[in-house]
Amino acid sequence: MSVAIRVIPCLDVDAGRVVKGVNFQNLRDAGDPVELAARYDAEGADELTFLDVSASSAGRDTTVEVVRRTAEQVFVPLTVGGGVRSADDVDRLLRAGADKVGVNTAAIARPELIAEIAQRFGSQVLVLSVDARRVSGGTTTPSGYEVTTHGGRTGTGIDAVEWAEKAAALGAGEILLNSMDADGTANGFDLEMLADVRARVTVPLIASGGAGRPEDFVTAAEAGADAVLAASVFHFGTLTIPQVKQEMREAGLEVR
Amino acid sequence: MGARVVVLDYGFGNVRSATRALERVGAEVTLTADRTAAQDADGLVVPGVGAFGACIAGLRKVRGHEVIGRRIAGGRPVLGICVGMQILFDAGVEHGERAEGMGEWAGTVERLDAPVVPHMGWAPVEVPEGSRLFAGVENERFYFVHSYAAQNFTQGHDSFADPRFRPPLVTWAHAGTPIRGTRFVAAVEDGPLAATQFHPEKSGDAGARLLENWVRTLG
């Protein structure tokens, strides 16, 4: 018996409201992240993730308020990412009640940010989010995967596996590996990429992008993921958390 | 009126979560670093997040170590959470640097040797016979997030010779697998002093039950 494979629903939040449709019945307000978070908690989510997609600082202030209200009601760990640029941003989210903070683009531009956050708050609060894709066209990287920005539209030429390894060495406590190729396809996670990153990092690894069927969660864990994150399959009710966990349990994986 | 609990606010804890989780189980919670309030409360919670050295330094700065010591001497309940538990041991070693702890228990807090570190997520615990803290949640999983832990527990305190004192009850957990992993102290119940390496305030209903068990012991 050891630590369970975590199942993590992710909510995109814009100025305090859930974006992308959410198709739950019996919700007073399907756009309220707090109500959705409580619902997922009740269903057995092992953690929750909010991705703040607000374009303005006023929008981000609203998200901080949402984090505060969520932490009042939800008693499982909450990760908040999106627009985090400094250790002070991290401080603000932690004070509001976030347990972990996701960092992405700002760390690509300035990798020292990872060390700054880890030194001030500890590695355990820092999730490095990597939006990666298989290289194509003229680009090459040693692993065959590159880091992207702007929702996968812009390649950076940075090797995704090396970046994950470097980030862990700088102090990232966890890697959220999001396959931009698989994202939105519902055809399963990029298992090769997961296995390649797993072989090189010893911090926990979260698989993201491509969840469609219950068995996708099993194969992601078997490829080396410590946690599996999904958004639309849960929001649209295609899959439920208990259903996914049942599949994992039957496959011999430990779940909560 | 519920039991009066002070959550010690010394700058190194997820104090908001701890406060809310205790309120949820009926405690009347004050978040403060005030020594008199911390001394007088029915129960004192010492949270802790981050580095051992920074936490113990922060605690000493508000003279929290004195309050904890005095409470224990007077048989008044204290609950340490995560690094708030680690600092109760003799010392902690992080990145090769040793920091002195409070020395309530023998042993050093050291880095976990497991395939994946930090040890993060919901893990089962091995609860000893007679635990009051885990009553009703012996077979539940709790949420851990840590890279360091006490990996031994020495039952060698002089006061055990005194029949009024029961030896500490130690709950264990594993990081990694039984084949490649480390056994570590997940919780201790030692008279007025209780502590958990995991985060009961983030462990859903199981964590709430554990906190409720603790709050109920407060007069």
Side-chain angles (χ1 to χ4, degrees):
Chain A
M1 294 277 277
S2 56
V3 73
I5 304 292
R6 287 168 281 150
V7 177
I8 309 173
C10 177
L11 295 169
D12 285 6
V13 178
D14 185 357
R17 301 288 295 171
V18 175
V19 291
K20 295 182 184 170
V22 173
N23 186 21
F24 263 152
Q25 290 180 349
N26 307 322
L27 284 180
R28 278 184 296 114
D29 177 1
D32 179 14
V34 182
E35 193 173 351
L36 270 170
R39 167 72 174 259
Y40 282 128
D41 176 15
E43 279 199 348
D46 296 310
E47 287 184 24
L48 294 162
T49 292
F50 285 170
L51 181 62
D52 184 6
V53 297
S54 305
S56 68
S57 65
R60 282 191 288 277
D61 289 344
T62 313
T63 300
V64 170
E65 196 45 48
V66 164
V67 170
R68 187 166 288 127
R69 285 199 292 127
T70 306
E72 300 275 316
Q73 296 182 31
V74 172
F75 298 95
V76 295
L78 174 65
T79 301
V80 183
V84 175
R85 286 181 176 27
S86 65
D88 286 341
D89 288 345
V90 174
D91 188 45
R92 205 158 75 113
L93 289 166
L94 295 178
R95 281 178 191 280
D99 298 286
K100 296 190 267 188
V101 171
V103 177
N104 188 339
T105 318
I108 299 170
R110 209 170 63 79
E112 315 87 84
L113 177 62
I114 295 172
E116 288 167 17
I117 295 168
Q119 276 159 19
R120 187 158 153 199
F121 307 103
S123 288
Q124 79 289 337
V125 307
L126 178 53
V127 184
L128 181 81
S129 192
V130 182
D131 291 340
R133 69 180 178 196
R134 288 161 184 260
V135 291
S136 60
T139 315
T140 57
T141 65
S143 69
Y145 312 104
E146 73 169 325
V147 178
T148 70
T149 59
H150 301 89
R153 292 192 302 278
T154 311
T156 62
I158 297 168
D159 186 289
V161 178
E162 286 176 3
W163 173 231
E165 198 174 17
K166 180 180 175 184
L170 283 168
E174 200 173 16
I175 306 287
L176 167 58
L177 183 65
N178 188 27
S179 165
M180 302 314 291
D181 300 313
D183 196 31
T185 65
N187 282 329
F189 298 92
D190 188 333
L191 301 178
E192 272 181 3
M193 185 166 79
L194 271 174
D196 289 350
V197 173
R198 170 78 295 164
R200 298 271 290 274
V201 302
T202 57
V203 297
L205 179 61
I206 308 170
S208 167
R213 299 150 299 183
E215 53 266 38
D216 295 334
F217 292 76
V218 173
T219 50
E222 288 169 351
D226 299 288
V228 192
L229 179 140
S232 34
V233 285
F234 292 139
H235 304 332
F236 296 143
T238 318
L239 300 176
T240 66
I241 292 167
Q243 180 187 9
V244 165
K245 288 195 172 181
Q246 182 58 26
E247 183 83 13
M248 293 165 83
R249 193 176 288 115
E250 282 168 13
L253 297 168
E254 285 192 38
V255 292
R256 175 172 75 110
Chain B
M1 292 287 265
R4 293 173 307 121
V5 173
V6 162
V7 173
L8 195 65
D9 186 11
Y10 65 104
F12 291 89
N14 48 343
V15 288
R16 195 178 180 83
S17 303
T19 302
R20 276 295 300 133
L22 287 155
E23 285 172 351
R24 184 189 179 194
V25 298
E28 192 187 306
V29 186
T30 309
L31 178 62
T32 181
D34 180 75
R35 284 199 300 281
T36 308
Q39 188 64 56
D40 292 347
D42 297 326
L44 176 68
V45 173
V46 184
V49 166
F52 186 106
C55 277
I56 191 77
L59 188 70
R60 291 209 168 102
K61 209 166 163 186
V62 301
R63 288 165 60 192
H65 62 302
E66 293 174 10
V67 174
I68 294 169
R70 241 179 269 137
R71 286 190 65 99
I72 296 168
R76 298 178 64 72
V78 176
L79 173 66
I81 296 174
C82 198
V83 185
M85 161 167 159
Q86 296 179 358
I87 56 174
L88 295 166
F89 284 85
D90 280 339
V93 179
E94 294 195 6
H95 307 292
E97 281 184 34
R98 183 184 163 92
E100 295 304 314
M102 290 193 50
E104 294 295 334
W105 300 314
T108 305
V109 173
E110 291 177 310
R111 190 169 170 86
L112 291 165
D113 179 17
V116 176
V117 176
H119 177 240
M120 191 182 287
W122 298 79
V125 291
E126 297 159 22
V127 179
E129 198 71 31
S131 167
R132 291 172 74 187
L133 200 55
F134 288 89
V137 285
E138 297 88 346
N139 299 314
E140 297 291 335
R141 289 173 181 265
F142 295 89
Y143 188 82
F144 291 82
V145 50
H146 60 122
S147 298
Y148 299 84
Q151 290 158 46
N152 291 290
F153 193 94
T154 312
Q155 302 262 15
H157 206 278
D158 292 343
S159 59
F160 296 162
D162 185 329
R164 288 174 303 172
F165 292 96
R166 297 170 63 204
L169 288 176
V170 181
T171 294
W172 297 89
H174 279 88
T177 62
I179 300 154
R180 255 200 85 194
T182 310
R183 186 170 174 254
F184 64 86
V185 177
V188 183
E189 295 159 69
D190 183 11
L193 189 54
T196 65
Q197 176 61 66
F198 54 84
H199 288 273
E201 77 283 8
K202 284 288 154 184
S203 295
D205 292 343
R209 176 65 189 270
L210 182 138
L211 290 174
E212 191 179 7
N213 287 343
W214 182 72
V215 167
R216 277 190 183 162
T217 65
L218 311 176

